[in-house]
């Protein structure tokens, strides 16, 4: 799969799906490659020394390689290996990077909406536990493959389908 990312327009409140996809992408980070790439929008780019805070939720699946993750809730950097899901929460400082000697493959979708808010409110996902060791779960891989296919056929035209995939990924994890 080729590296790509798409940032989608925010939708007004009231989306019937309860979830709106705002970004989707894939990147294979080769060993000894600068990370993160400098081509993302300013509000999504970060440097390790500063980390970042996003305004929406992200589900990131590491399907190959390894690296580290840190957030204001996890404290010191934690090891991330293939088969790990990282959940980024709005307003929560974080940073992550592949091991420079190994690299990794990352799949992600960014979403906003009451479906994710409710998952946090009920404790299904929580900022104190942003790292989930799922293994190479076939349903997770299929969901991301579907996201990538929809984005490849026109992310804006398929934003509602991508949004439902964001909710589906949340249910899978």
């Amino acid at each position: 799969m080729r590296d790509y990312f798409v940032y989608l327009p925010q939708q007004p409140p009231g989306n019937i799906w309860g979830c709106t996809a705002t970004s989707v992408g894939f990147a294979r980070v080769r060993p000894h490659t600068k990370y993160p790439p400098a081509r993302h929008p300013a509000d999504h780019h970060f440097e390790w020394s500063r980390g970042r805070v996003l305004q929406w939720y992200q589900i990131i699946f590491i399907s190959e390689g390894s690296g580290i993750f840190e957030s204001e809730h996890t404290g010191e950097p934690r090891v991330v290996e293939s088969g790990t899901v990282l959940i980024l929460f709005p307003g929560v400082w974080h940073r992550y990077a592949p091991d420079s000697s190994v690299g990794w493959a990352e799949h992600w979708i960014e979403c906003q909406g009451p479906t994710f808010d409710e998952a946090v409110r009920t404790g299904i996902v929580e900022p104190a536990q942003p790292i989930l060791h799922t293994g190479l779960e076939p349903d997770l891989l299929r969901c991301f493959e579907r996201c990538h296919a929809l984005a490849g056929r026109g992310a804006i035209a398929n934003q509602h389908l991508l949004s439902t995939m964001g909710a589906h990924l949340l249910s899978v994890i």
Side-chain angles (χ1 to χ4, degrees):
M1 175 180 303
R2 297 179 77 138
D3 292 3
Y4 82 94
F5 59 85
V6 178
Y7 289 88
L8 301 160
Q10 293 179 26
Q11 300 293 311
N15 174 332
I16 64 169
W17 309 116
C19 176
T20 300
T22 56
S23 176
V24 62
F26 171 81
R28 183 176 317 288
V29 182
R30 305 278 181 217
H32 311 291
T33 302
K34 183 180 182 301
Y35 188 86
R39 60 186 194 264
H40 290 280
D43 66 334
H44 282 71
H45 186 72
F46 70 96
E47 294 179 21
W48 179 260
S49 62
R50 292 184 299 182
R52 71 175 174 188
V53 175
L54 296 175
Q55 61 179 341
W56 309 122
Y57 299 92
Q58 278 192 9
I59 297 174
I60 303 166
F61 181 56
I62 306 303
S63 61
E64 299 172 21
S66 63
I68 55 175
F69 174 86
E70 180 180 6
S71 77
E72 67 185 71
H73 296 283
T74 61
E76 294 184 17
R78 303 230 180 132
V79 173
V80 172
E81 296 177 337
S82 176
T84 299
V85 171
L86 305 174
I87 303 176
L88 307 181
F89 296 86
V92 176
W93 177 90
H94 64 273
R95 60 187 179 178
Y96 56 92
D99 179 324
S100 65
S101 66
V102 177
W104 69 19
E106 60 183 22
H107 311 251
W108 77 90
I109 189 165
E110 181 179 70
C111 298
Q112 65 175 356
T115 297
F116 277 77
D117 297 338
E118 185 66 9
V120 172
R121 190 189 70 72
T122 59
I124 293 170
V125 294
E126 54 186 319
Q129 296 181 347
I131 302 170
L132 306 172
H133 302 286
T134 62
L136 296 176
E137 171 61 42
D139 286 342
L140 198 57
L141 287 167
R142 278 193 293 275
C143 286
F144 271 112
E145 287 168 0
R146 177 83 170 129
C147 289
H148 302 322
L150 289 166
R153 290 197 309 259
I156 293 175
N158 287 306
Q159 187 170 15
H160 286 292
L161 289 171
L162 284 165
S163 297
T164 62
M165 292 305 298
H168 186 76
L169 279 160
L170 181 61
S171 73
V172 169
I173 60 171

